[in-house]
Structure formats: C-alpha cells, structure tokens
Amino acid sequence: MPDIGHFIHVFIDSYPLFMKGLLLTLQITVVSVLIGTVAGLLFAFFKLSNSKVLNAIANVYIAVIRGTPLIVQIFFFYFGLAELGISPYWCATLGLALHNSAYIAEIFRGSIQSINKGQLEAGRSLGMSTSLAMRRIVLPQAFRRALPPLGNQFIIGLKDSSLAAFISSSELFNVATTQGSRTFEEMTYLLIVAIYYLVLVLLFTLLVNKLEGRFAGGDE
Amino acid sequence: MEQRKVMINVRDLNKSFGDLHVLKDVNLEVHERDVVVLIGASGSGKSTLLRCLNFLEYKQSGTITIDGKVVEPENTDLNKVRQEVGMVFQHFNLFPHKTVLENVIEAPLMVKKVPSDQAVQEGRALLKKVGLADKEDVYPSKLSGGQKQRVAIARSLAMKPKIMLFDEPTSALDPELVGEVLATMKDLAREGMTMLVVTHEMGFAREAADTVVYMHDGKIVEKGNPSQIFSQPQNQRTKDFLGTIL
C-alpha cells in the first residue's frame, strides 16, 4: 500500500522542478503546434492545388512523416542539428512541428474540401478572385470545422512532447525520469507526472470546448 | 420599336463535360431590360448555359458577348465581368458565417472597396427592398428558404450588376415560399433589370417574361413571347414538354 502522506510530501517537494518542466513542455507544444499549423496549412494547399508537382511534394512529405515514428524523427533532428549548435529544445520542437504539420495538413485539407463548392462559386459570382473568396469565404468556415480535430492534435502534440526527454530536454517527463532514478522512487514520480499531463489535457480540453462554443452558430 | 442594346449575345456556343455534349450550337440574344425565361427538362442544358454566361463553366467553342464586349476566359478579367453579371443559385449559397447584412456588403466592401458607411447604407436599402430590413443581424441558418433566397438576390444586387442570372431560384423552396421570391423577381423585372431566368415556374414565365426559350437536349428548340409559346407552340417537343407540366 503506497503511503499517501509520503506521496503528497514528494509532490509538494518536487513542485518547483515540475513547474519548470511544465513550462518547457508547454513551450515545446505551443511552438511546435504553431509551426505545424502554418506548415500544415501550406501542405494542405499543396494537396488541393492543381499542380501535379505540388501534389506530389505534399503526398511524399505526408507519407514519410506519418510513416515513421516520431522518436526517430526527433533523434534525426537531434543528431543532425545538434552538431550545428542547435539546442535540444529546438531539435525537439522542430521534430514535433514537422510531425504535427503532416497531420494538420490532412485536417485542413479535409475541412477545406468539406465546404460546399457553392460557397466558392457564390464568392466568384460576386466578382471575387479565387484567393479573396478563399480567404474571406471558404477558410473562415474551414477553420471552424477544423477546430475540434485541431484541438485533438494539440492534445496529442502535448503528450508527444514527452519524447523530447530522450534528447535531454528537461521537460515534464524528463524531470520525472531523472528524479525517479535519482531517488529510486520511479513509480511515485511517474504518478506525479501523469497527474500533471492529465490536468494539462483537461484544462486544454475545456479551453477548446469554450472556443468551439464561441464559434458555434452561423453554420449552414 | 426602339433599338435596345444587346446585353448578352451567344453565338454557336458548345460545351461538353468529357464525352457528354451538353450545349450544341446555342444562339441567344438578351436585350437590355428584357426578361428571358429558359424552360426545359432537367439535363437539357439550361443551367449549364447560365453557368457559361457567368464563366463558372468555360465553353469549348463559340462566342459570348456581354454588354458589347466579347469575353474569352483566357484573356479577360473575369472578376470584372462577373461584377456586371449577378447570379442567384438554386441552393442560395449564402455565407453561413456572416450575418444577413454582412452577406450583402461583403463583395462591395472587398471587391469594389466601397466605404463601409456607404456599403452598409446601400445594403440596408436592398434588404428593405426585398422585405428583410428586420433581419440584418440574423445568421442565414435562422432564415426560411424564401428569406435566404431574397437575401441572395439582395447580395447579388449589391454589386449593381447590369444583368441578373437566376438558376432555378425557387426549386429548393417549399411550395408556400415560392411566391415571395417570385414577387421579388417580378419587382426587379418591372424596374427594368435585364434578367435571364431558368425556372420551372410557368406562371412566372407567363407573367413576367418577354421571351420564353425552350431547350431540349442542349439545343434551343423554340423561342417566342409567352403567349406564343404557351398557347401555340410550333415544335412538337415543346408541345410534349408543356403537355407534361401544364
């Protein structure tokens, strides 16, 4: 039977260390999802483009990124870029960004394609250029539709950021493993870090639900 | 009789989708202030003809002249042409993320760069005209089909087009809502708007059309004034078609 009193003691004691890890985790996640969103949108446009070359680039990119493990990609960046003096933080962030972008590209492609063709035609019939009609009419609707799967991807990205621990980036999970092996209390620290992740995910889910509520209405 | 300008002139228009030859050597003239109604069975090419005139579809051969200018999609600024040619769709295609007023002022603001005050003022006037002044802050999802279509008409008019194309504007409506949309269109016709209307509403054709054009299998089979077409159709196909629907 684990000792609850001891657990609470360790939890409070390790709080400053974990908060540092938590900040880094959030930083890795937010930055990588932001970069991944921009790149994902770009690759979604490549996939939707009439150009066979751009289609092919997007298809190969998505196939390779989705077809290889994230940890392999992170190590690739680590061994490839660390030599150039790039920090483990950026190696992990870029690896995650790359990984996210492939999934986000598919999310955007799907949501853009789900918007009725009549919307673009209505815009064009009013004299809008294709790009203006895309920007003003199609994309705002597509973003709303993309919000739930994007939220989901963010949660996956948040948890995937734990893999950065393996290239000695001292985010949440890294704090847990280091503390665990230092004190031989692996289980305690694993439980603590699990609580941190769970709370983060729950808070974020709440935020996404709020956003979805705010953008609700005005659908077809 | 006064000589009126030819607003739409179609010569030997051909359009295919793959192996499907949809429009076959179509010739059509629409004069300024004319209301021309296109009738015919589904698949006869009426809607495709309309879409070719707004360049949502490109023709394979023939010439299309809009307001005196020959329009070749390859070397014409189609966005400019489309500003002159409004289009109302069967399924309204209102912008669901924008309110009624925002729908109406979107293109004037974004395309014509009309100052916001002026766009709003003109937009409100148009909504009043189609009887929806009290709905300006409502989202389209809260409107009935007939109201949606009237907003769509106002949205099109906001660009001050010289020609209005209507692609089966009442086909997606519940029967009791058809009347309000047709009434709006009749108002527009009375004001002298040049209109080309694809519809199955023969009552509208009879009342509001200057010319009725019957299409069959991608060809214009017969055209004439409404009393001529409805009372003494010359072509056997026209007779058969009218027999099935009247």
Side-chain angles (χ1 to χ4, degrees), chain A residues 122-176:
Chain A
R124 311 251 11 219
S125 81
L126 291 165
M128 294 185 180
S129 64
T130 307
S131 66
L132 182 65
M134 259 293 178
R135 225 170 48 236
R136 298 283 307 178
I137 308 301
V138 176
L139 286 183
Q141 297 181 59
F143 272 119
R144 279 170 205 214
R145 250 174 234 191
L147 206 53
L150 277 180
N152 202 33
Q153 187 59 38
F154 188 94
I155 288 170
I156 294 172
L158 176 69
K159 292 186 294 177
D160 278 351
S161 70
S162 59
L163 292 175
F166 292 101
I167 56 169
S168 66
S169 185
S170 46
E171 45 64 73
L172 273 179
F173 186 58
N174 187 278
V175 172

Tab-separated table of all heavy atoms in Angstrom, chain A residues 122-176:
chain	number	residue	atom	x	y	z
A	122	ALA	N	-20.285	31.179	-55.197
A	122	ALA	CA	-21.029	32.381	-54.838
A	122	ALA	C	-20.072	33.564	-54.729
A	122	ALA	O	-20.349	34.652	-55.227
A	122	ALA	CB	-21.783	32.168	-53.533
A	123	GLY	N	-18.934	33.338	-54.095
A	123	GLY	CA	-17.933	34.395	-53.973
A	123	GLY	C	-17.447	34.852	-55.343
A	123	GLY	O	-17.401	36.046	-55.632
A	124	ARG	N	-17.127	33.885	-56.190
A	124	ARG	CA	-16.635	34.237	-57.519
A	124	ARG	C	-17.704	34.953	-58.330
A	124	ARG	O	-17.400	35.865	-59.091
A	124	ARG	CB	-16.172	32.977	-58.271
A	124	ARG	CG	-15.260	32.097	-57.472
A	124	ARG	CD	-13.826	32.065	-57.908
A	124	ARG	NE	-13.403	33.042	-58.862
A	124	ARG	CZ	-12.579	32.806	-59.849
A	124	ARG	NH1	-12.128	31.607	-60.033
A	124	ARG	NH2	-12.199	33.761	-60.653
A	125	SER	N	-18.966	34.528	-58.176
A	125	SER	CA	-20.029	35.159	-58.963
A	125	SER	C	-20.222	36.616	-58.554
A	125	SER	O	-20.818	37.391	-59.290
A	125	SER	CB	-21.335	34.381	-58.815
A	125	SER	OG	-21.989	34.736	-57.615
A	126	LEU	N	-19.713	36.977	-57.380
A	126	LEU	CA	-19.796	38.373	-56.943
A	126	LEU	C	-18.582	39.179	-57.380
A	126	LEU	O	-18.421	40.332	-56.986
A	126	LEU	CB	-19.935	38.431	-55.422
A	126	LEU	CG	-21.266	37.921	-54.869
A	126	LEU	CD1	-21.178	37.685	-53.372
A	126	LEU	CD2	-22.388	38.901	-55.180
A	127	GLY	N	-17.711	38.543	-58.140
A	127	GLY	CA	-16.550	39.259	-58.648
A	127	GLY	C	-15.296	39.090	-57.815
A	127	GLY	O	-14.294	39.751	-58.054
A	128	MET	N	-15.343	38.185	-56.817
A	128	MET	CA	-14.136	37.965	-56.011
A	128	MET	C	-13.148	37.098	-56.786
A	128	MET	O	-13.555	36.188	-57.509
A	128	MET	CB	-14.484	37.221	-54.727
A	128	MET	CG	-15.353	37.983	-53.778
A	128	MET	SD	-15.539	37.009	-52.264
A	128	MET	CE	-16.594	38.102	-51.336
A	129	SER	N	-11.857	37.362	-56.589
A	129	SER	CA	-10.846	36.461	-57.140
A	129	SER	C	-10.883	35.178	-56.316
A	129	SER	O	-11.416	35.166	-55.203
A	129	SER	CB	-9.471	37.098	-57.048
A	129	SER	OG	-9.139	37.282	-55.690
A	130	THR	N	-10.298	34.117	-56.869
A	130	THR	CA	-10.307	32.847	-56.135
A	130	THR	C	-9.647	33.011	-54.771
A	130	THR	O	-10.149	32.509	-53.761
A	130	THR	CB	-9.574	31.751	-56.922
A	130	THR	OG1	-10.147	31.703	-58.229
A	130	THR	CG2	-9.747	30.395	-56.277
A	131	SER	N	-8.529	33.747	-54.729
A	131	SER	CA	-7.813	33.842	-53.452
A	131	SER	C	-8.609	34.669	-52.443
A	131	SER	O	-8.640	34.337	-51.260
A	131	SER	CB	-6.407	34.405	-53.663
A	131	SER	OG	-6.481	35.737	-54.090
A	132	LEU	N	-9.284	35.706	-52.919
A	132	LEU	CA	-10.105	36.504	-51.998
A	132	LEU	C	-11.270	35.667	-51.469
A	132	LEU	O	-11.565	35.678	-50.263
A	132	LEU	CB	-10.638	37.761	-52.705
A	132	LEU	CG	-11.485	38.707	-51.833
A	132	LEU	CD1	-10.654	39.320	-50.721
A	132	LEU	CD2	-12.139	39.805	-52.662
A	133	ALA	N	-11.926	34.927	-52.366
A	133	ALA	CA	-13.053	34.092	-51.947
A	133	ALA	C	-12.583	33.008	-50.978
A	133	ALA	O	-13.282	32.658	-50.024
A	133	ALA	CB	-13.734	33.465	-53.162
A	134	MET	N	-11.384	32.481	-51.220
A	134	MET	CA	-10.797	31.502	-50.300
A	134	MET	C	-10.620	32.124	-48.926
A	134	MET	O	-11.025	31.566	-47.911
A	134	MET	CB	-9.413	31.080	-50.818
A	134	MET	CG	-9.401	29.759	-51.529
A	134	MET	SD	-9.756	28.460	-50.341
A	134	MET	CE	-9.755	27.038	-51.323
A	135	ARG	N	-10.000	33.301	-48.911
A	135	ARG	CA	-9.650	33.950	-47.651
A	135	ARG	C	-10.890	34.380	-46.866
A	135	ARG	O	-10.957	34.218	-45.658
A	135	ARG	CB	-8.783	35.170	-47.977
A	135	ARG	CG	-7.589	35.277	-47.099
A	135	ARG	CD	-6.593	36.320	-47.550
A	135	ARG	NE	-7.140	37.599	-47.882
A	135	ARG	CZ	-6.964	38.198	-49.065
A	135	ARG	NH1	-6.257	37.586	-50.004
A	135	ARG	NH2	-7.478	39.372	-49.309
A	136	ARG	N	-11.847	34.949	-47.552
A	136	ARG	CA	-12.992	35.558	-46.867
A	136	ARG	C	-14.146	34.587	-46.645
A	136	ARG	O	-14.920	34.758	-45.715
A	136	ARG	CB	-13.492	36.775	-47.673
A	136	ARG	CG	-12.484	37.882	-47.815
A	136	ARG	CD	-12.353	38.695	-46.564
A	136	ARG	NE	-13.634	39.201	-46.083
A	136	ARG	CZ	-13.765	39.901	-44.972
A	136	ARG	NH1	-12.715	40.154	-44.221
A	136	ARG	NH2	-14.953	40.322	-44.596
A	137	ILE	N	-14.293	33.629	-47.550
A	137	ILE	CA	-15.477	32.788	-47.518
A	137	ILE	C	-15.166	31.352	-47.088
A	137	ILE	O	-15.760	30.831	-46.151
A	137	ILE	CB	-16.168	32.763	-48.913
A	137	ILE	CG1	-16.402	34.193	-49.419
A	137	ILE	CG2	-17.456	31.955	-48.870
A	137	ILE	CD1	-17.252	35.061	-48.517
A	138	VAL	N	-14.221	30.725	-47.767
A	138	VAL	CA	-14.005	29.287	-47.532
A	138	VAL	C	-13.191	29.035	-46.255
A	138	VAL	O	-13.605	28.266	-45.387
A	138	VAL	CB	-13.320	28.631	-48.749
A	138	VAL	CG1	-13.016	27.166	-48.473
A	138	VAL	CG2	-14.213	28.753	-49.981
A	139	LEU	N	-12.044	29.730	-46.125
A	139	LEU	CA	-11.159	29.425	-44.987
A	139	LEU	C	-11.790	29.696	-43.619
A	139	LEU	O	-11.642	28.876	-42.713
A	139	LEU	CB	-9.825	30.166	-45.131
A	139	LEU	CG	-8.901	29.562	-46.200
A	139	LEU	CD1	-7.574	30.311	-46.240
A	139	LEU	CD2	-8.660	28.082	-45.951
A	140	PRO	N	-12.503	30.814	-43.428
A	140	PRO	CA	-13.107	31.010	-42.103
A	140	PRO	C	-14.040	29.867	-41.711
A	140	PRO	O	-14.087	29.454	-40.550
A	140	PRO	CB	-13.889	32.316	-42.260
A	140	PRO	CG	-13.245	33.036	-43.383
A	140	PRO	CD	-12.746	31.966	-44.314
A	141	GLN	N	-14.771	29.347	-42.696
A	141	GLN	CA	-15.667	28.222	-42.407
A	141	GLN	C	-14.873	26.945	-42.179
A	141	GLN	O	-15.203	26.136	-41.313
A	141	GLN	CB	-16.639	28.010	-43.563
A	141	GLN	CG	-17.558	29.184	-43.793
A	141	GLN	CD	-18.523	28.919	-44.937
A	141	GLN	OE1	-19.293	27.972	-44.904
A	141	GLN	NE2	-18.473	29.747	-45.968
A	142	ALA	N	-13.807	26.776	-42.975
A	142	ALA	CA	-12.987	25.565	-42.840
A	142	ALA	C	-12.285	25.543	-41.481
A	142	ALA	O	-12.179	24.496	-40.840
A	142	ALA	CB	-11.966	25.494	-43.976
A	143	PHE	N	-11.820	26.711	-41.004
A	143	PHE	CA	-11.139	26.773	-39.706
A	143	PHE	C	-12.074	26.329	-38.585
A	143	PHE	O	-11.681	25.615	-37.677
A	143	PHE	CB	-10.635	28.189	-39.422
A	143	PHE	CG	-9.261	28.448	-39.963
A	143	PHE	CD1	-9.038	29.435	-40.909
A	143	PHE	CD2	-8.188	27.686	-39.526
A	143	PHE	CE1	-7.768	29.666	-41.419
A	143	PHE	CE2	-6.912	27.910	-40.023
A	143	PHE	CZ	-6.706	28.901	-40.986
A	144	ARG	N	-13.318	26.790	-38.662
A	144	ARG	CA	-14.278	26.373	-37.633
A	144	ARG	C	-14.444	24.871	-37.619
A	144	ARG	O	-14.509	24.241	-36.571
A	144	ARG	CB	-15.644	26.988	-37.910
A	144	ARG	CG	-15.729	28.393	-37.440
A	144	ARG	CD	-16.990	29.007	-37.959
A	144	ARG	NE	-16.784	30.439	-38.021
A	144	ARG	CZ	-17.727	31.326	-37.790
A	144	ARG	NH1	-18.944	30.913	-37.526
A	144	ARG	NH2	-17.467	32.595	-37.838
A	145	ARG	N	-14.541	24.318	-38.820
A	145	ARG	CA	-14.728	22.876	-38.895
A	145	ARG	C	-13.466	22.134	-38.460
A	145	ARG	O	-13.536	21.000	-38.007
A	145	ARG	CB	-15.079	22.483	-40.331
A	145	ARG	CG	-16.514	22.029	-40.416
A	145	ARG	CD	-16.918	21.781	-41.823
A	145	ARG	NE	-18.110	22.557	-42.088
A	145	ARG	CZ	-18.859	22.417	-43.170
A	145	ARG	NH1	-18.517	21.548	-44.087
A	145	ARG	NH2	-19.940	23.143	-43.324
A	146	ALA	N	-12.313	22.785	-38.601
A	146	ALA	CA	-11.056	22.128	-38.252
A	146	ALA	C	-10.784	22.195	-36.752
A	146	ALA	O	-9.922	21.471	-36.246
A	146	ALA	CB	-9.903	22.771	-39.029
A	147	LEU	N	-11.510	23.052	-36.049
A	147	LEU	CA	-11.196	23.299	-34.638
A	147	LEU	C	-11.214	22.036	-33.765
A	147	LEU	O	-10.238	21.786	-33.040
A	147	LEU	CB	-12.127	24.376	-34.080
A	147	LEU	CG	-11.590	25.165	-32.908
A	147	LEU	CD1	-10.228	25.753	-33.215
A	147	LEU	CD2	-12.561	26.264	-32.512
A	148	PRO	N	-12.261	21.213	-33.823
A	148	PRO	CA	-12.233	20.004	-32.982
A	148	PRO	C	-11.056	19.063	-33.285
A	148	PRO	O	-10.335	18.691	-32.361
A	148	PRO	CB	-13.581	19.343	-33.259
A	148	PRO	CG	-14.454	20.439	-33.767
A	148	PRO	CD	-13.553	21.374	-34.499
A	149	PRO	N	-10.808	18.708	-34.556
A	149	PRO	CA	-9.644	17.851	-34.801
A	149	PRO	C	-8.317	18.542	-34.497
A	149	PRO	O	-7.353	17.882	-34.100
A	149	PRO	CB	-9.749	17.480	-36.288
A	149	PRO	CG	-10.703	18.432	-36.881
A	149	PRO	CD	-11.612	18.875	-35.787
A	150	LEU	N	-8.258	19.874	-34.636
A	150	LEU	CA	-7.026	20.585	-34.283
A	150	LEU	C	-6.782	20.506	-32.780
A	150	LEU	O	-5.649	20.324	-32.324
A	150	LEU	CB	-7.098	22.054	-34.703
A	150	LEU	CG	-6.767	22.394	-36.148
A	150	LEU	CD1	-6.903	23.891	-36.369
A	150	LEU	CD2	-5.365	21.930	-36.510
A	151	GLY	N	-7.849	20.644	-32.003
A	151	GLY	CA	-7.747	20.522	-30.551
A	151	GLY	C	-7.213	19.148	-30.186
A	151	GLY	O	-6.334	19.000	-29.328
A	152	ASN	N	-7.750	18.167	-30.864
A	152	ASN	CA	-7.306	16.798	-30.655
A	152	ASN	C	-5.819	16.644	-30.956
A	152	ASN	O	-5.063	16.047	-30.185
A	152	ASN	CB	-8.127	15.898	-31.586
A	152	ASN	CG	-8.153	14.479	-31.103
A	152	ASN	OD1	-8.133	14.233	-29.908
A	152	ASN	ND2	-8.172	13.552	-32.039
A	153	GLN	N	-5.396	17.239	-32.063
A	153	GLN	CA	-3.996	17.152	-32.468
A	153	GLN	C	-3.107	17.857	-31.451
A	153	GLN	O	-1.999	17.415	-31.164
A	153	GLN	CB	-3.832	17.771	-33.865
A	153	GLN	CG	-2.454	17.583	-34.477
A	153	GLN	CD	-2.088	16.119	-34.619
A	153	GLN	OE1	-2.944	15.292	-34.950
A	153	GLN	NE2	-0.838	15.789	-34.349
A	154	PHE	N	-3.602	18.951	-30.885
A	154	PHE	CA	-2.838	19.683	-29.879
A	154	PHE	C	-2.614	18.798	-28.652
A	154	PHE	O	-1.519	18.753	-28.080
A	154	PHE	CB	-3.583	20.960	-29.490
A	154	PHE	CG	-2.786	21.884	-28.606
A	154	PHE	CD1	-2.054	22.905	-29.164
A	154	PHE	CD2	-2.776	21.710	-27.231
A	154	PHE	CE1	-1.307	23.758	-28.361
A	154	PHE	CE2	-2.029	22.561	-26.415
A	154	PHE	CZ	-1.298	23.589	-26.991
A	155	ILE	N	-3.658	18.083	-28.269
A	155	ILE	CA	-3.538	17.190	-27.111
A	155	ILE	C	-2.522	16.087	-27.390
A	155	ILE	O	-1.669	15.762	-26.547
A	155	ILE	CB	-4.917	16.595	-26.756
A	155	ILE	CG1	-5.794	17.693	-26.127
A	155	ILE	CG2	-4.781	15.414	-25.798
A	155	ILE	CD1	-7.237	17.287	-25.951
A	156	ILE	N	-2.587	15.530	-28.596
A	156	ILE	CA	-1.605	14.503	-28.975
A	156	ILE	C	-0.200	15.100	-28.951
A	156	ILE	O	0.739	14.498	-28.434
A	156	ILE	CB	-1.937	13.940	-30.374
A	156	ILE	CG1	-3.267	13.189	-30.338
A	156	ILE	CG2	-0.815	13.034	-30.880
A	156	ILE	CD1	-3.786	12.768	-31.701
A	157	GLY	N	-0.082	16.335	-29.479
A	157	GLY	CA	1.214	17.005	-29.512
A	157	GLY	C	1.754	17.247	-28.110
A	157	GLY	O	2.950	17.091	-27.851
A	158	LEU	N	0.863	17.621	-27.210
A	158	LEU	CA	1.253	17.869	-25.815
A	158	LEU	C	1.859	16.610	-25.202
A	158	LEU	O	2.926	16.651	-24.572
A	158	LEU	CB	0.013	18.310	-25.035
A	158	LEU	CG	0.158	18.526	-23.529
A	158	LEU	CD1	1.028	19.746	-23.278
A	158	LEU	CD2	-1.193	18.731	-22.875
A	159	LYS	N	1.199	15.494	-25.418
A	159	LYS	CA	1.707	14.254	-24.831
A	159	LYS	C	2.946	13.745	-25.567
A	159	LYS	O	3.861	13.210	-24.956
A	159	LYS	CB	0.591	13.193	-24.837
A	159	LYS	CG	-0.533	13.582	-23.868
A	159	LYS	CD	-1.573	12.509	-23.740
A	159	LYS	CE	-2.302	12.338	-25.052
A	159	LYS	NZ	-3.276	11.225	-24.968
A	160	ASP	N	2.960	13.970	-26.896
A	160	ASP	CA	4.134	13.553	-27.682
A	160	ASP	C	5.385	14.321	-27.267
A	160	ASP	O	6.506	13.844	-27.451
A	160	ASP	CB	3.885	13.788	-29.182
A	160	ASP	CG	3.077	12.651	-29.793
A	160	ASP	OD1	2.875	11.637	-29.104
A	160	ASP	OD2	2.656	12.782	-30.953
A	161	SER	N	5.196	15.521	-26.701
A	161	SER	CA	6.364	16.323	-26.338
A	161	SER	C	7.190	15.615	-25.268
A	161	SER	O	8.357	15.944	-25.053
A	161	SER	CB	5.937	17.704	-25.858
A	161	SER	OG	5.292	17.588	-24.596
A	162	SER	N	6.604	14.605	-24.609
A	162	SER	CA	7.357	13.858	-23.598
A	162	SER	C	8.547	13.128	-24.218
A	162	SER	O	9.521	12.822	-23.537
A	162	SER	CB	6.439	12.853	-22.896
A	162	SER	OG	5.890	11.958	-23.841
A	163	LEU	N	8.460	12.888	-25.553
A	163	LEU	CA	9.570	12.197	-26.211
A	163	LEU	C	10.828	13.060	-26.252
A	163	LEU	O	11.936	12.562	-26.447
A	163	LEU	CB	9.171	11.784	-27.632
A	163	LEU	CG	8.093	10.686	-27.698
A	163	LEU	CD1	7.677	10.436	-29.130
A	163	LEU	CD2	8.614	9.407	-27.062
A	164	ALA	N	10.654	14.375	-26.046
A	164	ALA	CA	11.811	15.268	-26.023
A	164	ALA	C	12.729	14.910	-24.861
A	164	ALA	O	13.917	15.242	-24.858
A	164	ALA	CB	11.357	16.720	-25.918
A	165	ALA	N	12.192	14.218	-23.863
A	165	ALA	CA	13.001	13.797	-22.712
A	165	ALA	C	14.203	12.975	-23.164
A	165	ALA	O	15.267	13.027	-22.552
A	165	ALA	CB	12.135	12.983	-21.756
A	166	PHE	N	14.011	12.232	-24.257
A	166	PHE	CA	15.075	11.325	-24.699
A	166	PHE	C	16.259	12.044	-25.321
A	166	PHE	O	17.296	11.456	-25.559
A	166	PHE	CB	14.505	10.282	-25.672
A	166	PHE	CG	13.560	9.345	-24.985
A	166	PHE	CD1	12.193	9.502	-25.105
A	166	PHE	CD2	14.057	8.315	-24.189
A	166	PHE	CE1	11.319	8.644	-24.449
A	166	PHE	CE2	13.194	7.459	-23.526
A	166	PHE	CZ	11.811	7.615	-23.651
A	167	ILE	N	16.084	13.325	-25.667
A	167	ILE	CA	17.267	14.059	-26.126
A	167	ILE	C	17.626	15.120	-25.087
A	167	ILE	O	18.053	16.214	-25.407
A	167	ILE	CB	17.059	14.679	-27.527
A	167	ILE	CG1	15.814	15.591	-27.550
A	167	ILE	CG2	16.905	13.607	-28.594
A	167	ILE	CD1	15.717	16.420	-28.828
A	168	SER	N	17.414	14.724	-23.830
A	168	SER	CA	17.833	15.503	-22.667
A	168	SER	C	17.300	16.923	-22.632
A	168	SER	O	17.980	17.848	-22.245
A	168	SER	CB	19.360	15.519	-22.529
A	168	SER	OG	19.946	16.217	-23.599
A	169	SER	N	16.063	17.070	-23.102
A	169	SER	CA	15.392	18.340	-22.932
A	169	SER	C	14.616	18.206	-21.625
A	169	SER	O	13.828	17.278	-21.468
A	169	SER	CB	14.459	18.571	-24.114
A	169	SER	OG	13.882	19.832	-24.033
A	170	SER	N	14.836	19.113	-20.679
A	170	SER	CA	14.297	18.852	-19.349
A	170	SER	C	12.867	19.319	-19.201
A	170	SER	O	12.543	20.205	-18.412
A	170	SER	CB	15.188	19.478	-18.275
A	170	SER	OG	15.502	20.788	-18.649
A	171	GLU	N	11.987	18.725	-20.003
A	171	GLU	CA	10.557	18.992	-19.879
A	171	GLU	C	9.975	18.040	-18.836
A	171	GLU	O	10.711	17.320	-18.148
A	171	GLU	CB	9.856	18.924	-21.245
A	171	GLU	CG	10.227	17.770	-22.128
A	171	GLU	CD	9.828	16.465	-21.520
A	171	GLU	OE1	8.623	16.143	-21.492
A	171	GLU	OE2	10.742	15.785	-21.033
A	172	LEU	N	8.651	18.014	-18.720
A	172	LEU	CA	7.991	17.262	-17.645
A	172	LEU	C	8.497	15.831	-17.461
A	172	LEU	O	8.905	15.428	-16.372
A	172	LEU	CB	6.476	17.215	-17.932
A	172	LEU	CG	5.619	18.368	-17.416
A	172	LEU	CD1	4.169	18.154	-17.823
A	172	LEU	CD2	5.724	18.479	-15.895
A	173	PHE	N	8.440	15.073	-18.545
A	173	PHE	CA	8.764	13.654	-18.422
A	173	PHE	C	10.223	13.440	-18.041
A	173	PHE	O	10.563	12.532	-17.273
A	173	PHE	CB	8.431	12.933	-19.740
A	173	PHE	CG	8.582	11.448	-19.668
A	173	PHE	CD1	7.856	10.699	-18.741
A	173	PHE	CD2	9.472	10.776	-20.511
A	173	PHE	CE1	8.001	9.324	-18.664
A	173	PHE	CE2	9.616	9.395	-20.437
A	173	PHE	CZ	8.877	8.679	-19.509
A	174	ASN	N	11.075	14.301	-18.556
A	174	ASN	CA	12.496	14.232	-18.227
A	174	ASN	C	12.717	14.481	-16.738
A	174	ASN	O	13.521	13.804	-16.086
A	174	ASN	CB	13.265	15.252	-19.073
A	174	ASN	CG	14.763	15.120	-18.914
A	174	ASN	OD1	15.330	15.637	-17.966
A	174	ASN	ND2	15.383	14.403	-19.841
A	175	VAL	N	11.982	15.419	-16.191
A	175	VAL	CA	12.063	15.694	-14.744
A	175	VAL	C	11.678	14.429	-13.973
A	175	VAL	O	12.351	14.022	-13.019
A	175	VAL	CB	11.131	16.865	-14.353
A	175	VAL	CG1	11.067	17.014	-12.840
A	175	VAL	CG2	11.604	18.165	-14.993
A	176	ALA	N	10.586	13.784	-14.418
A	176	ALA	CA	10.103	12.595	-13.720
A	176	ALA	C	11.127	11.467	-13.749
A	176	ALA	O	11.403	10.845	-12.718
A	176	ALA	CB	8.786	12.131	-14.357
